[in-house]
Amino acid sequence: MASHAFHKTFDTFIDTGVRTFACDYLLFASAGAFRLEVGERFWLLPPQRAALIKTGTAVRVTTRGPATSSSVLFEAPFLEADCRVFVIQPPLPEMIAYGMRWPQEAAGSPEAERFFRALADVAIAMSQQPEETWLPRPRTPEMQRAVTATLETLGEPISQEEIAARAHLSPRTLARRFEEEMQTSWRDFRGRARMLRAAELLLASQEPITEIAFAVGFQSSSAFVAAFRNFFGTTPSAYRRPSRASLASR
């Protein structure tokens, strides 16, 4: 299979299930957002971020609403890490768009292959600063219950003791299991989850920022904006605006 770029639009919720690719894969949502699960982590991929996925790596991709993939499959494997998520910047979005000038059946030309090798070099260079906005995935039934309960109550003033009760664990055991199994504290996990849920809501709806702040457990929009800026490096309003990198209109 020759290297090629492609658009694919999903109008509703999708779940690919766990799957692998027979080649290295650059996954980029030019509109909407994907959730990417790899191993014991999962990421949110809005238009500001992309993922390089190594041949044969088991992944699962889901969406909560409409999304468009503007991605690249590479003929020759070149990745070392199973997955790297990174902030996508010019000229990579423009290069992906340019690569779509070659339909798949014509993508094996010498000109096309030279271009896709250059595109791969640019993507690798950007991925050298991987994005750390991910959440750990639980490995045991008890922690799965704890994580599920936490994610279902992000907008509520729930305590760690209440989560422990729902997971059928003591508070002390829950704290220890989070540190050992998830490599983080329950409080930090919940804080990261609130930010990722807020990002999903910003991209999937037109709800006012104040309403989104309340939906993820903040009592004021100012506190939410400060926390969001600290986590993502930008304001909720700027994050929601169509990314300059978006290829949806191309």
Side-chain angles (χ1 to χ4, degrees):
M1 179 188 67
S3 302
H4 64 281
F6 62 93
H7 272 312
K8 189 170 184 179
T9 297
F10 306 94
D11 294 325
T12 57
F13 172 84
I14 65 159
D15 184 343
T16 64
V18 178
R19 60 171 301 185
T20 60
F21 294 93
C23 53
D24 291 349
Y25 180 31
L26 171 62
L27 175 62
F28 171 50
S30 57
F34 294 112
R35 292 182 69 171
L36 173 66
E37 298 180 20
V38 183
E40 296 175 357
R41 298 181 176 185
F42 72 84
W43 288 265
L44 178 68
L45 298 182
Q48 295 90 343
R49 291 174 179 78
L52 279 173
I53 302 167
K54 184 179 178 180
T55 302
T57 300
V59 303
R60 179 185 179 194
V61 179
T62 59
T63 67
R64 291 195 171 192
T68 298
S69 168
S70 299
S71 301
V72 182
L73 292 168
F74 296 97
E75 177 182 23
F78 59 86
L79 297 177
E80 297 180 358
D82 286 347
C83 178
R84 278 190 176 175
V85 174
F86 59 97
V87 175
I88 190 167
Q89 304 175 53
L92 189 54
E94 291 79 8
M95 293 181 74
I96 296 171
Y98 188 86
M100 293 177 192
R101 67 186 298 170
W102 291 287
Q104 183 175 356
E105 59 272 13
S109 68
E111 179 188 8
E113 288 310 302
R114 286 195 299 271
F115 172 80
F116 283 109
R117 281 197 296 271
L119 191 156
D121 287 342
V122 172
I124 290 173
M126 290 186 183
S127 74
Q128 296 308 303
Q129 295 183 322
E131 182 66 33
E132 297 299 333
T133 53
W134 52 269
L135 283 175
R137 297 175 62 211
R139 300 193 300 270
T140 61
E142 298 86 357
M143 291 305 293
Q144 180 63 65
R145 288 195 296 268
V147 166
T148 298
T150 301
L151 296 178
E152 288 177 347
T153 57
L154 293 178
E156 302 174 21
I158 198 165
S159 68
Q160 184 170 337
E161 288 72 22
E162 291 173 279
I163 295 296
R166 295 192 187 194
H168 310 303
L169 297 170
S170 71
R172 179 174 295 181
T173 299
L174 178 70
R176 176 175 55 80
R177 294 283 292 276
F178 255 97
E179 294 288 352
E180 293 176 353
E181 187 170 325
M182 310 286 280
Q183 302 297 302
T184 188
S185 68
W186 175 79
R187 187 176 299 278
D188 286 347
F189 175 88
R190 186 168 185 259
R192 291 173 70 87
R194 291 164 82 188
M195 291 296 96
L196 293 179
R197 176 67 55 79
E200 287 183 320
L201 293 173
L202 285 164
L203 294 170
S205 76
Q206 295 302 314
E207 289 291 325
I209 288 173
T210 299
E211 294 300 319
I212 291 175
F214 292 153
V216 296
F218 286 85
Q219 300 304 306
S220 72
S221 58
S222 59
F224 169 64
V225 170
F228 193 93
R229 186 196 292 272
N230 183 61
F231 190 80
F232 284 107
T234 189
T235 65
S237 296
Y239 189 92
R240 168 178 267 174
R241 281 196 293 269
S243 170
R244 292 180 181 179
S246 175
L247 304 177
S249 62
R250 293 177 184 261

